Amino acid sequence: MRAAAVQLNATEDSARNLRTADRLTREAAAQGAELVVLPEKWSMLGRAETMAGGAQPLDGAAVSWARETARELGVDLVAGSILEHAPDHDKHFNTSVHVDREGEVRAAYRKIHLFDVEIDGHAYRESDVEEPGEDIVVS
């Protein structure tokens, strides 16, 4: 099996990020990848308030794109992770989604161990806006 690890510089512009992910995923598939893996928070990365405003449900634009693209290209696609809006929770989840080559969601994993750190006086705390998942997921 040929796998591709796609890397991109996500920004606060989710439409731009989606276009970039689409281009790179198609390029990987054209080069023979059967499994394409996108990075963490590929759909949006930025300030906490922007991220919270851009959180999506699992049937939102990012996962819908992943499902359509995986089906069209006939690849398994791990949509790195997105900031998932879950209506029954106060905070969002950092959720990774595996879509199979038929475009079906095979698994969704909510990150359990959140990244909280202070570097050179700047604090980055996922736990401020994200809730940890509870389940280990195998697909």
Side-chain angles (χ1 to χ4, degrees):
M1 170 185 281
R2 179 171 275 198
V6 172
Q7 191 58 274
L8 59 97
N9 291 322
T11 67
E12 292 183 347
D13 183 344
S14 60
R16 175 185 171 271
N17 299 334
L18 187 61
R19 287 190 305 271
T20 302
D22 187 69
R23 178 178 54 80
L24 295 172
T25 298
R26 290 176 185 284
E27 183 179 314
Q31 292 181 23
E34 300 169 70
L35 169 66
V36 179
V37 182
L38 296 174
E40 183 177 21
K41 295 184 181 173
W42 65 271
S43 62
M44 179 179 280
L45 189 60
R47 295 167 291 152
E49 59 275 7
T50 304
M51 294 285 294
Q56 301 179 24
L58 290 182
D59 61 355
V63 176
S64 295
W65 166 82
R67 295 184 69 193
E68 292 167 15
T69 303
R71 181 175 39 249
E72 177 189 339
L73 300 176
V75 298
D76 277 82
L77 178 58
V78 177
S81 73
I82 63 166
L83 194 61
E84 176 197 355
H85 171 71
D88 52 339
H89 293 266
D90 293 332
K91 294 183 179 182
H92 304 294
F93 293 98
N94 183 347
T95 303
S96 181
V97 179
H98 171 207
V99 179
D100 68 18
R101 56 191 65 228
E102 285 81 37
E104 297 300 319
V105 174
R106 298 284 303 219
Y109 166 74
R110 291 173 166 169
K111 185 176 180 181
I112 296 171
H113 303 288
L114 301 179
F115 185 70
D116 288 354
V117 66
E118 186 174 327
I119 301 172
D120 295 330
H122 178 73
Y124 183 82
R125 299 192 197 303
E126 285 182 328
S127 63
D128 286 349
V129 295
E130 296 172 20
E131 183 176 330
E134 297 177 355
D135 300 319
I136 295 173
V137 177
V138 178
S139 75

